[in-house]
Amino acid sequence: MNRATPLLPGSTIGVLGGGQLGRMMALAARRMGYRICVLDRDPRCPTGQVADDVVVGTLDDVASALTVAERSAVVTLDTEHVPAELLARIAAICPVRPGPSVLATIQDRAVQKRFLDDRGVPQARWAPVGSPDELATAVAAIGRPAILKARRAGYDGKGQVRLEPGGDPLAAWRAIGQPPAVLEVLVPFAREVSVILARALDGEVRFYPLAENVHRRHILHTTRAPAPMPDQRRRHAETLAGDIATALDHVGVMAVEMFELVDGTLVVNEIAPRTHNSGHYTYGACATTQFEQHVRAVCGLPLGDPRAFTGAVMVNLIGDLWANGEPPWQHVLARPEARLHLYGKLTPAPGRKMGHVLLLDDDTDRALRTAEELVAVLAT
Ligand code: AMP
């Protein structure tokens, strides 16, 4: 197929991984008339519940992934934890977007950091850790407090441990299973933001309003959009993120998470080559959701309008809220500005993302207060 030929509605989009991002993408795709074939180990996974076709298998199961590719016109991802080599195998059958080289650069923190260093992108001082000797060298070079992060397969703070001044680095490394890791200096950030963008097959990049994020226990808690920020600094954030997407030849939605220091300096934390939790506000606040945008990009279609019609706050609903059974959603639904999203996960667990509430309100300070009130009510 010619790279420039768009894949029109009626085509099947293969999705590797059946989580909530795949689910919301599938809902957007099916609204537009696409078919969805998903790979997941659980046929009742969030995406499987709304897909046309489910292939049951793990994300590193070559035969199952190739079956998805054979049934699809294009393959994309719900998670970046799909082996890049597997994507390369799929690319022989049908287009994979984003491509294997994007994943190969992103999914290993050390490779990602070298890639960013090579392009002069500002990031936290870091050093690789592969042995006890290297750990000692890294601690001497980076200092403490610092964070030790597994190079691969970490998310929501998993595979990460803080190294306090005077703490035992070897014990900390052992606590996360002694994997190949990176040591990063703890950045005294004033706040965290993320740039959500989409890059089309022809290289065009469009940006959503900047998102401001608050994490709790390493898990995203709230996102506010637009993040209040002087125009010039916001444009700088967009330039940093757009240049990264272009250098990677990425296709699809991408999130670039950044720390903003007190003096306004921006430091890139990490790159997610997919739709993102901090972009959920686009589903409700924007003309084109991040999920439709991703579908458009991977199908080789023109990008949609990323404009927001309202300010918004998103608050994540974590499994802990289910401690006393199903939370009393009527309190959320009683608010006209609230939108409830639940992902259809069958077993709530502490720390597990089960859904989110979106509050559509131009007064985002008020929406942040409302978000906390709602979480408090849901927890009772
Ligand atoms: P990550 O998995 O790298 O996105 O880290 C999850 C969260 O931990 C970030 O969003 C920050 O809140 C915090 N964090 C990670 N790395 C650093 C760092 N170098 N300095 C300060 N906070 C960090």
Side-chain angles (χ1 to χ4, degrees):
M1 190 197 66
N2 186 328
R3 185 174 148 97
T5 308
L7 301 169
L8 297 175
S11 309
T12 298
I13 302 171
V15 183
L16 304 181
Q20 62 267 21
L21 300 175
R23 176 188 178 95
M24 287 179 270
M25 178 175 39
L27 292 170
R30 293 191 68 175
R31 177 177 59 74
M32 297 168 78
Y34 287 96
R35 291 172 49 81
I36 292 288
C37 175
V38 62
L39 171 68
D40 198 275
R41 67 200 306 176
D42 179 0
R44 295 182 304 162
C45 64
T47 313
Q49 294 167 19
V50 301
D52 296 270
D53 186 11
V54 184
V55 175
V56 179
T58 55
L59 289 180
D60 56 2
D61 174 5
V62 176
S64 299
L66 295 182
T67 301
V68 172
E70 278 154 12
R71 295 180 188 177
S72 304
V74 61
V75 167
T76 188
L77 313 167
D78 158 87
T79 163
E80 61 273 38
H81 301 308
V82 177
E85 314 80 59
L86 182 68
L87 292 194
R89 297 276 301 269
I90 291 177
I93 298 176
C94 74
V96 186
R97 294 171 185 152
S101 67
V102 178
L103 270 284
T105 307
I106 294 309
Q107 60 194 189
D108 179 326
R109 286 186 192 272
V111 177
Q112 183 180 140
K113 285 174 184 300
R114 273 188 209 109
F115 164 82
L116 293 174
D117 277 347
D118 288 348
R119 274 150 195 84
V121 176
Q123 45 179 347
R125 232 175 37 248
W126 71 281
V129 173
S131 66
D133 282 351
E134 214 173 20
L135 175 61
T137 310
V139 172
I142 301 303
R144 286 175 279 180
I147 305 187
L148 194 57
K149 300 180 179 179
R151 283 172 62 165
R152 288 179 174 271
Y155 69 98
D156 288 348
K158 295 186 174 65
Q160 296 191 14
V161 61
R162 253 175 92 141
L163 225 60
E164 303 296 348
D168 177 356
L170 206 50
W173 193 30
R174 285 204 189 103
I176 57 169
Q178 233 169 311
V182 295
L183 185 70
E184 237 179 81
V185 71
L186 194 78
V187 177
F189 58 80
R191 63 175 177 167
E192 297 185 73
V193 296
S194 52
V195 176
I196 312 290
L197 62 80
R199 185 167 181 273
L201 203 54
D202 66 5
E204 188 194 358
V205 176
R206 291 198 184 168
F207 298 97
Y208 283 99
L210 190 70
E212 175 186 304
N213 304 318
V214 173
H215 289 78
R216 278 199 189 155
R217 293 185 294 150
H218 286 283
I219 303 172
L220 182 62
H221 175 53
T222 54
T223 296
R224 172 222 299 260
M229 186 181 270
D231 276 353
Q232 199 185 345
R233 196 179 307 159
R234 178 183 49 74
R235 276 196 295 274
H236 177 52
E238 290 177 355
T239 302
L240 285 172
D243 287 352
I244 289 169
T246 300
L248 286 167
D249 195 19
H250 177 68
V251 176
V253 168
M254 168 174 279
V256 179
E257 295 182 56
M258 301 179 189
F259 301 128
E260 185 184 11
L261 309 188
V262 176
D263 68 0
T265 307
L266 296 170
V267 172
V268 170
N269 175 29
E270 68 178 3
I271 305 166
R274 52 165 168 76
T275 56
H276 197 255
N277 196 167
S278 67
H280 285 348
Y281 78 86
T282 63
Y283 189 170
C286 296
T288 310
T289 74
Q290 62 169 341
F291 303 103
E292 175 174 341
Q293 200 73 300
H294 189 77
V295 168
R296 286 170 176 250
V298 303
C299 289
L301 290 165
L303 296 177
D305 182 358
R307 186 167 34 139
F309 295 124
T310 170
V313 162
M314 187 254 7
V315 58
N316 266 335
L317 301 171
I318 304 300
D320 309 59
L321 291 174
W322 274 250
N324 302 318
E326 195 71 19
W329 301 124
Q330 62 274 20
H331 298 297
V332 175
L333 298 170
R335 302 198 69 103
E337 77 276 34
R339 300 285 182 281
L340 177 64
H341 291 250
L342 293 173
Y343 307 147
K345 295 186 181 177
L346 303 177
T347 38
R352 189 169 196 212
K353 292 174 181 165
M354 301 294 292
H356 65 269
V357 172
L358 185 65
L359 297 163
L360 302 175
D361 189 342
D362 282 327
D363 184 342
T364 51
D365 287 327
R366 177 173 59 196
L368 281 168
R369 287 193 300 274
T370 306
E372 297 309 334
E373 282 164 29
L374 284 176
V375 168
V377 168
L378 294 174
T380 54

